Amino acid sequence: MREIVFSKKNIILLGVAILLLGLYVFFVLFFDKNISSKGYLYIGNYLIWEYKDNKFVQVSEFPEGVQTNDYIVYDGLEKKEAKYAQFVNNKWNFFGDEYSDIRIKDFRVAYTGLEDIKVADFNFELYDSSDDKYIKQVNNTNNEQEFNLFKNSLIKTSIDLDGDNNDEVLYTMSSYSLDMSDISKEAVSYIFVVDDGEVTVIAQSKKNTPFGIMDILDLDGDGLYELVVSKGVLNLPTLNDCYQIYEFSNGKYRLKQDCIIE
């Protein structure tokens, strides 16, 4: 009789263990998506970020073959869905069900495993003479060659960065030149913003580290755009270059995340 009772105990314990295991698997698969999936963000063709511990960590190698995931892809400002991604001939290609062509003509951003990301509507412009006063406020150089380098490198765009429903003008410029014999002093680069005629320098760097605006996105869903910035790209971009995130927070522009390479 004791042997029968003992067997029933084992059966009950085994049943409880199976039930608990089943509940755990159900929880992981259907509720805790952070455990079962990873988040990736592709910006242009040379920046891949994996989202880890509330930070975007650069992936330093292109994935091989075809990646299968539920992707959101921005073709310009148009949002599309894709099932497959493949990096071929130095660019990302995205496909729908059964590898159907979803015709991405102006690829900006793709992501999987992340909350909704909003892309800004903006266009880049080059220098015009109205920018002279802002260049002088940021760097009042007496070197004509250096001033011309700032003018020739200057890129700007109008965008509301501080959430006041009025556009600011965002600038990048640099005195870096491939032929540094053009100027005698050390090169310097800037990101700055002009708001109602007032100039605010967001970041400054020296040596061979010019800034470039990769894209302008709302990464965290707070309604304000972050700047995705390259730092030190001198020719063609690579996965191992430095990419940063800047934001407007508590009335100031600040570096939210410096480059983090896996």
Side-chain angles (χ1 to χ4, degrees), residues 17-34:
I18 292 173
L19 178 61
L20 291 174
L21 179 62
L23 289 172
Y24 173 78
V25 171
F26 180 83
F27 177 82
V28 168
L29 290 177
F30 293 97
F31 290 96
D32 194 353
K33 294 183 179 179
N34 290 326

Side-chain angles (χ1 to χ4, degrees), residues 122-171:
F122 69 97
N123 293 294
F124 288 123
E125 300 176 40
L126 301 178
Y127 161 86
D128 64 60
S129 58
S130 67
D131 299 317
D132 285 350
K133 58 182 175 293
Y134 302 128
I135 296 174
K136 291 176 182 178
Q137 287 184 58
V138 172
N139 187 299
N140 190 22
T141 180
N142 294 317
N143 186 309
E144 183 178 356
Q145 288 181 317
E146 184 178 31
F147 190 80
N148 286 334
L149 286 171
F150 284 134
K151 292 196 301 184
N152 293 336
S153 66
L154 186 145
I155 296 175
K156 62 184 178 180
T157 186
S158 297
I159 183 78
D160 180 15
L161 295 173
D162 60 10
D164 64 354
N165 296 317
N166 295 306
D167 282 352
E168 294 75 51
V169 184
L170 177 69
Y171 289 82

Side-chain angles (χ1 to χ4, degrees), residues 39-42 69-74 79 82 94 107 109-119:
Y40 289 93
L41 173 60
Y42 306 161
N69 272 303
D70 291 324
Y71 294 96
I72 298 296
V73 184
Y74 274 98
K79 186 188 291 188
F94 295 92
F107 170 59
V109 169
Y111 59 91
T112 181
L114 298 172
E115 295 297 321
D116 190 38
I117 291 173
K118 182 181 178 183
V119 302

Side-chain angles (χ1 to χ4, degrees), residues 179-239:
D179 182 6
M180 288 310 295
S181 63
D182 287 349
I183 55 174
S184 59
K185 62 188 294 185
E186 186 177 52
V188 61
S189 303
Y190 299 93
I191 308 175
F192 64 96
V193 65
V194 176
D195 186 357
D196 289 331
E198 182 177 343
V199 176
T200 300
V201 175
I202 298 175
Q204 173 182 339
S205 69
K206 294 185 178 181
K207 299 183 179 179
N208 302 337
T209 52
F211 296 106
I213 304 298
M214 294 285 294
D215 215 318
I216 303 175
L217 312 167
D218 183 2
L219 295 170
D220 54 14
D222 66 352
L224 296 177
Y225 290 114
E226 284 80 37
L227 307 176
V228 180
V229 173
S230 65
K231 181 181 179 182
V233 175
L234 304 179
N235 194 359
L236 296 176
T238 71
L239 292 180

Side-chain angles (χ1 to χ4, degrees), residues 79-97:
K79 186 188 291 188
K80 298 181 178 180
E81 295 182 357
K83 287 290 185 181
Y84 306 98
Q86 186 176 24
F87 190 79
V88 179
N89 296 327
N90 297 316
K91 69 174 186 176
W92 282 106
N93 297 276
F94 295 92
F95 307 94
D97 291 326

